[in-house]
């Protein structure tokens, strides 16, 4: 099981505030943060949960280009959410792929789940 605490999640929409993302046995769940949990990794900033079968370096370049140097982070997150939805990039439980946990920023980072 992999557990991650973050300040914002983009996954079939934008979920603000602190959230706990849990990945176990091929299923991702996102729940509001309520208390500290054992073996939870904290990653500040927005995290996107994407489909590994549709994610590649070209998608990563597109994401970083959308983020760019824009100061209005609300507008950028809305653009990213629309991009992920329209491109079918969001991870879906039970479709035989693995999730990619991507920390969003000018230089995005893939968070290893091992």
């Amino acid at each position: 099981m992999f557990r991650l605490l973050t300040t914002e999640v983009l996954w079939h929409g934008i979920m603000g505030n602190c959230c706990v993302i849990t990945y176990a046995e091929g299923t991702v769940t996102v729940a509001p943060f309520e208390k500290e949990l054992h073996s939870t990794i904290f990653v500040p900033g927005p995290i996107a949960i994407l489909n590994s079968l549709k994610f590649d370096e070209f998608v990563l370049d597109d994401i970083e280009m959308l983020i760019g140097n824009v100061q209005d982070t609300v507008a950028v997150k809305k653009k990213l959410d629309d991009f992920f939805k329209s491109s079918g990039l969001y991870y879906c439980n039970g479709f035989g792929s693995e999730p990619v946990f991507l920390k969003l920023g000018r230089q995005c980072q893939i968070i290893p789940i091992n």
Side-chain angles (χ1 to χ4, degrees), residues 5 14 16 23 29 34 36 39 43 48 70 77 84-86 89 94 96-97 102-104 109 113:
L5 171 62
I14 302 169
Y23 177 61
T29 57
E34 294 176 356
E36 288 201 37
S39 71
V43 178
V70 178
K77 289 172 193 165
F84 297 150
K85 285 179 184 174
S86 65
L89 285 166
S97 65
L102 185 68
K103 180 170 184 339
L104 300 172
Q109 298 173 329
I113 58 176

Side-chain angles (χ1 to χ4, degrees), residues 35-76:
K35 62 181 179 178
E36 288 201 37
L37 301 168
H38 151 294
S39 71
T40 302
I41 301 166
F42 175 66
V43 178
I47 302 291
I49 305 172
L50 306 176
N51 184 338
S52 63
L53 298 177
K54 296 186 178 185
F55 183 80
D56 59 22
E57 67 270 7
F58 301 111
V59 170
L60 185 60
D61 289 343
D62 290 344
I63 294 167
E64 289 175 344
M65 186 178 68
L66 281 170
I67 293 171
N69 292 322
V70 178
Q71 300 300 318
D72 185 1
T73 57
V74 173
V76 168

